[in-house]
């Protein structure tokens, strides 16, 4: 299964390198595109959920690393929840 990483930039300009066990993230996020925080979270939840289920279909178990990555994204996003104009930018796919 092809693994990919994607880098994102938070509203405070910090960057995070993220993991996905599947290329499906490319169907939900676009490099160079900025997303409102809640839209970014919705897209990421769906993409990483699908990616984890693809691992389950192939190997018989969900991808805990994808779910850990989602939890980390959710944790960091919580720091910006009180900012209605918060956006996350997808920097690159790796």
């Amino acid at each position: 299964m092809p693994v990919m990483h994607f880098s994102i930039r938070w509203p405070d300009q910090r960057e995070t390198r993220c993991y996905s066990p599947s290329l499906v993230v490319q169907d939900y996020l676009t490099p160079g595109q900025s997303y409102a925080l809640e839209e970014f979270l919705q897209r990421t939840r769906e993409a990483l959920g699908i990616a984890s289920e693809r691992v389950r279909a192939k190997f018989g178990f969900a991808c805990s690393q994808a779910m850990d990555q989602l939890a980390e994204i959710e944790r960091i996003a919580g720091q910006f929840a009180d900012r209605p104009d918060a956006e996350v930018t997808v920097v690159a796919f790796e």
Side-chain angles (χ1 to χ4, degrees):
M1 196 158 234
V3 169
M4 74 171 295
H5 291 89
F6 57 103
S7 296
I8 57 175
R9 184 176 307 116
W10 296 100
D12 65 0
Q13 302 306 305
R14 285 184 298 153
E15 290 191 11
T16 300
R17 184 173 188 248
C18 302
Y19 166 84
S20 173
S22 167
L23 301 178
V24 71
V25 171
Q26 295 175 337
D27 296 337
Y28 289 85
L29 301 173
T30 302
Q33 178 73 40
S34 294
Y35 299 92
L37 183 63
E38 193 52 46
E39 180 184 2
F40 172 77
L41 290 173
Q42 179 182 1
R43 287 171 175 268
T44 305
R45 286 177 192 126
E46 191 164 349
L48 290 176
I50 291 169
S52 180
E53 287 305 311
R54 286 184 178 179
V55 170
R56 182 189 309 276
K58 186 168 184 173
F59 299 107
F61 52 86
C63 181
S64 61
Q65 193 173 357
M67 295 300 93
D68 290 346
Q69 180 64 74
L70 180 57
E72 176 70 2
I73 288 170
E74 299 263 4
R75 184 190 66 75
I76 295 170
Q79 299 171 22
F80 307 105
D82 62 342
R83 293 175 51 181
D85 62 338
E87 291 187 339
V88 178
T89 302
V90 178
V91 177
F93 292 146
E94 303 166 28

